[in-house]
Amino acid sequence: MCGRYAASRSPEDLSDVFGIETGPAEALEPDWNVAPTKDVYVVLERPLKDGDDPRPVRQLRTLKWGLVPSWAKSPEGAARLINARAETVHEKPSFKKALASRRCIVPADGYYEWVTGAGERDLEVEGKKKRPRKQPYFVTPADGSVFAMAGLYEFWRDRTLPDDHPSAWWVTCSVVTTEAETGPLAVAPAEGPSSLADIHPRMPLMLTPDRWSSWLDPARTDIEDVRGLLAPPPGGLMRAYPVSTAVSNVRNNGPELLKELAGPEEGTLF
């Protein structure tokens, strides 16, 4: 899954990477502990609002993480729709329309995932053990490039507000996830997991640069065609390393959260 990630690159950096034509009016601060319901950057293609040119324009937009379906009565469930499973996204009422024509890229430095040993997890489920202290890992492209996560976005109209109210429309997003790679990491920690699947069974769907334009193209609306873009990326592109459990608290934020530890913290699993 993807429940927390880091995003520290500036709009200028992202514009260079993705070929952005127009950016946000106000820049977000670097965020090393992005959590659901926060404002995040996404890359998308659509005509400019109130523009005369119907041509889709590649934009860097600020959206809220946690998708609110257009038909929802309220935005209260947004925090639950932070991820969409690649295997079933085309079937789900909350996501299938967005998959057809409202796809985006959520740029990140990498994402955090927490390890729980299988035995500890079974005991926790059975109620025989208190929730164990988990070891967080940071997962990032081994070559230092942007982690381009496949995403979906949606518009939701707050009918309690007038048309001209600045909050009348919500634009929200979700990150697409896929099965975690079982092959070896490009760079693995000295002790602990040797593959992404050892950390967690799910991972964000990373889009390699050769798939960016196809994924963002709003003219590609055939679901079966789009499903072909949901294939996992080539293996062996990622590295993972243990980081401080400080990242487990959403109030903590700063580049120190990405500092690589020599090994798992004492008292944590793995």
Side-chain angles (χ1 to χ4, degrees), residues 114-116 121 180-183 192-201 270:
W114 285 257
V115 171
T116 301
R121 190 184 298 117
E181 296 174 5
T182 57
S194 59
S195 72
L196 292 179
D198 289 340
I199 300 175
H200 193 277
F270 267 119

Side-chain angles (χ1 to χ4, degrees), residues 146-183:
V146 173
F147 192 113
M149 301 187 291
L152 306 173
Y153 69 97
E154 190 58 274
F155 295 91
W156 180 78
R157 175 69 166 88
D158 187 344
R159 299 296 177 185
T160 66
L161 299 175
D163 290 343
D164 58 353
H165 194 283
S167 298
W169 284 95
W170 287 44
V171 192
T172 58
C173 63
S174 184
V175 173
V176 179
T177 66
T178 188
E179 289 187 358
E181 296 174 5
T182 57

Side-chain angles (χ1 to χ4, degrees), residues 9-57:
R9 286 176 167 84
S10 69
E12 292 76 19
D13 289 342
L14 295 174
S15 294
D16 290 341
V17 171
F18 291 102
I20 301 297
E21 297 180 62
T22 181
E26 296 184 12
L28 297 175
E29 292 293 323
D31 195 337
W32 290 272
N33 202 354
V34 181
T37 73
K38 279 190 173 183
D39 288 341
V40 299
Y41 284 140
V42 306
V43 179
L44 55 82
E45 289 186 4
R46 62 182 297 110
L48 292 175
K49 184 180 180 181
D50 302 325
D52 297 327
D53 188 351
R55 176 182 61 91
V57 174

Side-chain angles (χ1 to χ4, degrees), residues 203-226:
M203 64 175 285
L205 176 61
M206 185 178 79
L207 298 172
T208 49
D210 59 298
R211 293 163 63 190
W212 292 352
S213 292
S214 296
W215 179 255
L216 294 175
D217 185 0
R220 298 186 72 156
T221 59
D222 181 80
I223 288 296
E224 290 307 311
D225 176 44
V226 172

